[in-house]
């Protein structure tokens, strides 16, 4: 008789325990299912987990095979997933050697940096900077899972298109957001106004349209709003 595997939280970590005897080692298929279920429940795009080609599915699958997963807290699993989703959604395979540490099993996600692309404090991701012409694709909605961010810059790639996801409004600790010199389209999401600490919002040189959300008037800390050349 093969036991049924389930997850158990131990000091914030995801562990694999058997709900019935006998005790055996979980298979990779069982681990994949556990990680997928955990991340699907937290993703803002759960339907993406039904398609093996999506950035969300690919990131979760990558994480399920992480040899260090047993040592990861839930917060770190989510952070690694969100960063890897960004990687796959924005053409990380083509970023070149400058970003070779990204999506690496061998290093902590706070060390996924070259030229200070990821900056952390107390192992919390606080700053994310991606400024390269090699960005290709769209901003994923699960960027909203990086709730410890205090600053984010994604700029200088005319091959980065699509809309600004409304989930950026969940990044309530951000004091600067720079999405300039890309090819972002659509309207500015009103949820951006939830970033009450934001002092700099730079969306210049994109293809944004529509009117400014009236909700931006509630951003009392905002000192620079740049939307020219849209």
């Amino acid at each position: 008789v093969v036991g049924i595997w389930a997850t158990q939280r131990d000091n914030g970590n995801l562990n694999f325990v058997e709900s019935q005897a006998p005790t055996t080692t979980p298979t990779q298929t069982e681990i994949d299912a556990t990680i997928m279920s955990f991340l699907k429940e937290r993703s803002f795009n759960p339907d993406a987990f039904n398609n093996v080609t999506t950035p969300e599915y690919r990131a979760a699958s990558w994480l399920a095979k992480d040899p260090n997963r047993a040592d990861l807290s839930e917060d770190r699993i989510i952070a690694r997933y969100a960063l890897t989703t960004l990687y796959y959604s924005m053409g990380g395979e083509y970023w070149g050697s400058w970003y070779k540490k990204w999506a690496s099993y061998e290093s902590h996600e706070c060390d996924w940096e070259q030229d200070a692309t990821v900056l952390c404090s107390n192992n919390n991701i606080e700053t994310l900077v991606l400024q390269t012409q090699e960005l290709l694709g769209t901003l994923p909605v699960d960027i909203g899972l990086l709730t410890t961010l205090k600053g984010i810059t994604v700029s200088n790639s005319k091959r980065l298109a699509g809309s600004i996801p409304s989930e950026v409004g969940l990044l309530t600790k951000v004091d600067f957001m720079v999405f300039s010199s890309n090819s972002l389209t659509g309207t500015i999401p009103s949820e951006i106004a939830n970033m009450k600490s934001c002092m700099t919002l730079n969306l210049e040189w994109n293809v944004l349209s529509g009117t400014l959300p009236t909700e931006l008037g509630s951003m009392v800390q905002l000192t620079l709003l740049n939307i020219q050349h849209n």
Side-chain angles (χ1 to χ4, degrees):
V1 178
V2 178
I4 300 173
W5 286 92
T7 57
Q8 172 178 290
R9 291 178 173 82
D10 180 18
N11 295 323
N13 291 358
L14 262 183
N15 292 331
F16 300 92
V17 296
E18 194 180 26
S19 59
Q20 301 175 17
T23 299
T24 58
T25 302
T27 66
Q28 185 61 53
T29 298
E30 290 165 332
I31 293 171
D32 286 353
T34 299
I35 293 292
M36 288 288 181
S37 176
F38 174 78
L39 292 171
K40 184 176 182 179
E41 290 175 359
R42 289 154 180 80
S43 173
F44 299 113
N45 188 16
D47 289 343
F49 286 74
N50 300 323
N51 184 339
V52 298
T53 66
T54 63
E56 293 84 357
Y57 186 99
R58 295 178 67 191
S61 180
W62 174 87
L63 191 54
K65 296 174 177 60
D66 189 337
N68 304 306
R69 64 184 174 274
D71 300 323
L72 301 177
S73 67
E74 290 186 8
D75 287 344
R76 284 197 60 200
I77 288 174
I78 293 170
R80 284 171 81 83
Y81 161 75
L83 287 176
T84 308
T85 300
L86 279 170
Y87 178 84
Y88 286 126
S89 185
M90 299 194 299
E93 300 100 318
Y94 307 104
W95 291 355
S97 60
W98 199 249
Y99 297 91
K100 63 183 178 180
K101 289 186 178 180
W102 272 69
S104 167
Y105 290 139
E106 288 72 31
S107 44
H108 193 289
E109 58 275 10
C110 288
D111 296 324
W112 289 0
E113 58 88 13
Q114 192 90 14
D115 191 32
T117 55
V118 180
L119 296 178
C120 295
S121 177
N122 297 321
N123 288 332
N124 291 319
I125 299 168
E126 293 194 347
T127 304
L128 177 62
V129 178
L130 292 170
Q131 298 183 97
T132 171
Q133 295 180 0
E134 295 169 333
L135 299 178
L136 170 66
T138 60
L139 290 165
V141 295
D142 281 343
I143 193 174
L145 293 173
L146 295 170
T147 55
T148 60
L149 276 180
K150 294 184 178 179
I152 179 170
T153 296
V154 179
S155 64
N156 296 344
S157 181
K158 290 302 180 182
R159 296 187 297 172
L160 183 66
S163 61
I164 300 173
S166 60
E167 287 77 9
V168 297
L170 298 171
L171 308 180
T172 56
K173 297 180 180 179
V174 161
D175 55 31
F176 71 87
M177 177 175 285
V178 179
F179 290 161
S180 62
S181 300
N182 300 303
S183 295
L184 299 176
T185 59
T187 60
I188 298 172
S190 60
E191 289 83 357
I192 279 184
N194 293 329
M195 301 189 304
K196 302 300 183 186
S197 299
C198 188
M199 294 182 286
T200 297
L201 179 59
N202 186 348
L203 306 175
E204 66 175 339
W205 290 105
N206 281 287
V207 199
L208 299 171
S209 58
T211 59
L212 280 176
T214 58
E215 290 85 353
L216 296 187
S218 66
M219 300 175 70
V220 295
Q221 300 296 323
L222 192 63
T223 57
L224 174 63
L225 173 62
N226 191 346
I227 56 171
Q228 63 179 340
H229 303 297
N230 275 287

